[in-house]
Amino acid sequence: MTPPYLVLTGLGYNLPDGRTLFSDLHLSLDALRTGLIGRNGVGKSVLARIMAGELSTSHGQCQRMGSVHYLPQHIPLSSTTTVASLLGIAHVLTALEHIEAGSSDSHHFDTLADRWDIRQQLHNALEQAELAHLHAHSMAQHLSGGECMRLALAGAMLSNADLLILDEPTNHLDRESRLALQQQLQHWPHGLLVISHDRALLNTMDLIVELTPTGLHRYGGNYAFYSEQKAIAHAAATQALEHLQHTHKQETKQQHMLQERQAKRQAKGNKQGKEANQAKILLDRQKERSESSAGRIHQQQAARLQQVGQHLQAAQQQLTQESITAIHAVHSSTASQQRLVTLSDVALPYGNTALRAIDFTLYGRQRVAVVGPNGCGKSTLLKVIAGQITPLSGSSHVSVPFAYLDQQLHTLDPQRNVLEQLRDAAPKTAEGTLRTQLVHLGLDSQRIALPVAQLSGGERIKAALACLLYADEPPQLLLLDEPSNHLDLPALQALEHMLRHYHGGVMVVSHDEHFLAQLALSHQLTATESGWQLAELLPTQADNSL
């Protein structure tokens, strides 16, 4: 058994407003590949930052037995961010350049250490990431989200850290890059913690750890094993709840019967006392004994009823915490032959040369997956359709109300809270209804009162979806760019269910094959080397061709 790379003991963290995010966490990370899952906002990224040393604990201990490399889910980019910065080697390259220029500063030698072949490492990393056309000083702002993530992951591999912590590493990655990452992680020789909602990636882990409001819970297997165990536990909890509900009903019924019986007995005793020719003192003693006996029985029955009620409340709370997130149906329908989107001789402003030109028509109730490698122009295509950018030539026309979800969630104001923005989108809907819809999405009264900037990545996606889907004017067309990124697994399953039963048109960009396979797709628009190719999918193909 390998020694641990990191140990958590009684770990807790309080938010700036004093509320406890989590407490009394215990975990040991060794060479086993570990997947960390949990609902949006439960504190997974905060826990990762504590493990990496970026945040201090409120109480408890986090012991690191070696170096830790942490890759956050939101990679910080600026106008000066270079390829070398994303790889995490800019300081090493700078030290090498100073030494080659004649510097004898010990700081440069300490920074370089034994990485004299850093340029060769850079070349190999770029080739492995299929980005060999870039160089150390290439600007990152010109790269796609997937290309940036591939570089950041290459940098994580170059770090050779004792413990690698990756937060949502497959977000934005195309199919080939996801498969390549899975292979790399299979051969990673040290400690590994992956925070993810990617079911394919989680199935390659050795064990799953779930963070819930009650703590960390360890499952000794991959995601499929975790799902099986959760289903068994949920079934047992449901059965226990039904038994407690029956017991509570019987106890309540029995208490009422005892109360009625005692009332009748007391009334009968009072009547007999009036008719009997007994001394008053004897009648009073008899009444006291009767009332004392009835009181003891009543107290015992009330105690049993209270105990059953407490167990029932605990069982109901447990199932409520594990309840499936719901996305309410969007009541919209289009005629099957109605033209929703028409692109005529359109020239896209960005993307591969072969993919600049496109003619495309989307008809009512068509459900199209837009697939292809990173940087091929999928997001650009959706932006043109949504009117966010203008094509170089040709015309783009959308004939129905639509909702557009972009990767950066520009529809949200980061400084305003969720409820305010949802009220703006649905002024005709009662606030109580809006609050209920947000709760069903996993956004409680505390979260919806916070500025969007303070929400987790998954909570922001939920907020954006709510403002788009629950607007007073229901969209007849959904344009979704990587909607599954950051969503927790219950919300992801709820989104799949809603989209599967949605009666409007759908265009969805995604690299999550499992997600796409759940949407009952009708067509696939693929970015190929010779241009955009639209193919109809038969029901069986929708599950197997992506």
Side-chain angles (χ1 to χ4, degrees):
M1 185 175 181
T2 59
Y5 295 105
L6 182 143
V7 176
L8 305 180
T9 307
L11 188 76
Y13 183 79
N14 296 333
L15 296 169
D17 62 7
R19 289 184 296 117
T20 298
L21 182 60
F22 47 70
S23 62
D24 198 30
L25 301 186
H26 297 267
L27 183 66
S28 177
L29 294 176
D30 51 26
L32 291 177
R33 294 182 297 274
T34 303
L36 176 63
I37 64 174
R39 297 210 171 201
N40 295 137
V42 77
K44 301 184 298 298
S45 294
V46 170
L47 180 59
R49 293 181 64 194
I50 291 174
M51 291 179 177
E54 291 189 1
L55 286 177
S56 299
T57 65
S58 298
H59 45 85
Q61 289 185 329
C62 174
Q63 296 176 288
R64 288 173 285 275
M65 286 70 169
S67 58
V68 177
H69 184 93
Y70 168 56
L71 178 61
Q73 60 177 285
H74 299 292
I75 301 173
L77 294 178
S78 70
S79 59
T80 60
T81 303
T82 63
V83 166
S85 301
L86 276 179
L87 286 165
I89 60 172
H91 63 300
V92 181
L93 287 170
T94 299
L96 178 59
E97 290 169 358
H98 281 292
I99 293 171
E100 290 175 338
S103 172
S104 58
D105 190 332
S106 61
H107 172 72
H108 296 317
F109 284 90
D110 291 340
T111 300
L112 185 62
D114 59 350
R115 304 181 71 176
W116 292 91
D117 63 341
I118 188 62
R119 289 197 180 97
Q120 185 61 45
Q121 290 183 33
L122 169 63
H123 175 76
N124 295 341
L126 291 176
E127 278 202 336
Q128 190 168 15
E130 297 185 358
L131 295 169
H133 61 285
L134 301 176
H135 55 79
H137 301 293
S138 297
M139 303 309 298
Q141 62 180 346
H142 301 305
L143 304 177
S144 71
E147 290 169 331
C148 288
M149 180 58 77
R150 279 150 58 188
L151 286 172
L153 286 167
M157 299 301 165
L158 280 176
S159 71
N160 199 36
D162 294 305
L163 175 63
L164 206 57
I165 301 176
L166 308 178
D167 195 350
E168 299 285 5
T170 58
N171 281 353
H172 311 299
L173 291 185
D174 58 30
R175 180 179 184 275
E176 295 304 320
S177 298
R178 289 182 179 221
L179 293 175
L181 175 62
Q182 291 177 23
Q183 289 295 320
Q184 286 178 307
L185 296 184
Q186 287 290 323
H187 297 94
W188 178 253
H190 308 303
L192 175 67
L193 178 69
V194 176
I195 303 171
S196 182
H197 303 299
D198 183 332
R199 288 159 287 195
L201 178 60
L202 290 171
N203 266 335
T204 67
M205 297 292 107
D206 297 317
L207 64 94
I208 299 295
V209 175
E210 183 179 23
L211 179 60
T212 75
T214 60
L216 285 168
H217 307 275
R218 177 181 171 127
Y219 297 82
N222 63 9
Y223 179 73
F225 177 80
Y226 160 82
S227 296
E228 180 181 331
Q229 294 302 306
K230 289 291 284 188
I232 293 172
H234 186 79
T238 302
Q239 186 176 11
L241 177 61
E242 292 173 351
H243 174 72
L244 285 169
Q245 287 173 332
H246 176 74
T247 302
H248 188 266
K249 183 178 180 180
Q250 293 298 110
E251 291 285 348
T252 302
K253 183 179 179 180
Q254 187 172 355
Q255 187 181 48
H256 289 162
M257 289 175 61
L258 284 173
Q259 289 173 343
E260 290 176 1
R261 192 178 304 159
Q262 176 61 22
K264 291 180 180 179
R265 185 181 296 118
Q266 187 172 356
K268 182 178 180 181
N270 291 338
K271 182 179 180 181
Q272 289 176 342
K274 291 178 180 179
E275 296 175 350
N277 188 20
Q278 294 182 359
K280 184 177 185 301
I281 190 171
L282 294 176
L283 291 174
D284 288 344
R285 288 177 181 175
Q286 186 179 10
K287 181 179 180 182
E288 287 176 5
R289 286 196 298 270
S290 175
E291 289 177 348
S292 176
S293 176
R296 285 196 301 271
I297 294 174
H298 177 72
Q299 289 176 355
Q300 293 171 357
Q301 183 66 25
R304 286 198 300 269
L305 184 60
Q306 183 181 15
Q307 186 178 32
V308 172
Q310 290 172 344
H311 290 318
L312 178 60
Q313 186 178 8
Q316 288 172 330
Q317 186 176 4
Q318 178 184 351
L319 283 177
T320 299
Q321 290 175 348
E322 297 179 355
S323 61
I324 298 175
T325 302
I327 297 180
H328 294 257
V330 179
H331 300 292
S332 179
S333 182
T334 57
S336 59
Q337 297 305 311
Q338 181 181 1
R339 290 192 180 194
L340 308 184
V341 176
T342 305
L343 301 180
S344 302
D345 298 323
V346 163
L348 301 177
Y350 313 110
N352 297 340
T353 303
L355 295 167
R356 294 286 184 92
I358 181 171
D359 283 275
F360 172 75
T361 302
L362 180 74
Y363 293 94
R365 301 199 182 187
Q366 282 187 336
R367 316 165 65 78
V368 181
V370 184
V371 300
N374 292 137
C376 69
K378 302 183 300 296
S379 296
T380 300
L381 175 61
L382 256 61
K383 287 178 181 178
V384 167
I385 295 173
Q388 300 294 309
I389 57 178
T390 304
L392 295 178
S393 61
S395 64
S396 171
H397 179 67
V398 179
S399 60
V400 294
F402 67 91
Y404 169 54
L405 180 77
D406 67 305
Q407 293 185 29
Q408 289 73 36
L409 307 180
H410 286 134
T411 55
L412 292 177
D413 182 345
Q415 304 308 316
R416 300 177 64 208
N417 68 46
V418 180
L419 183 59
E420 289 174 347
Q421 298 186 63
L422 182 53
R423 277 202 304 250
D424 289 346
K428 298 178 182 177
T429 306
E431 182 173 316
T433 300
L434 299 179
R435 287 178 175 272
T436 299
Q437 290 170 334
L438 291 171
V439 167
H440 289 170
L441 264 173
L443 297 170
D444 61 25
S445 58
Q446 292 181 328
R447 307 306 289 172
I448 65 176
L450 294 174
V452 167
Q454 295 184 26
L455 301 180
S456 71
E459 288 174 322
R460 294 178 200 178
I461 289 276
K462 292 176 180 178
L465 284 170
C467 292
L468 294 173
L469 300 177
Y470 301 150
D472 283 339
E473 183 178 27
Q476 297 179 41
L477 167 66
L478 299 178
L479 304 172
L480 307 175
D481 195 354
E482 296 286 2
S484 62
N485 282 354
H486 307 296
L487 281 183
D488 57 38
L489 292 165
L492 191 56
Q493 292 165 347
L495 179 60
E496 291 168 352
H497 181 271
M498 187 280 291
L499 291 176
R500 195 161 53 242
H501 295 88
Y502 176 69
H503 295 302
V506 176
M507 289 188 71
V508 54
V509 173
S510 180
H511 298 294
D512 187 336
E513 297 182 13
H514 195 289
F515 170 69
L516 291 175
Q518 308 304 310
L519 305 187
L521 297 167
S522 64
H523 292 76
Q524 180 171 303
L525 183 62
T526 306
T528 72
E529 293 181 355
S530 58
W532 295 99
Q533 301 291 330
L534 181 66
E536 185 175 359
L537 297 176
L538 298 174
T540 53
Q541 289 179 297
D543 293 340
N544 301 322
S545 67
L546 297 165

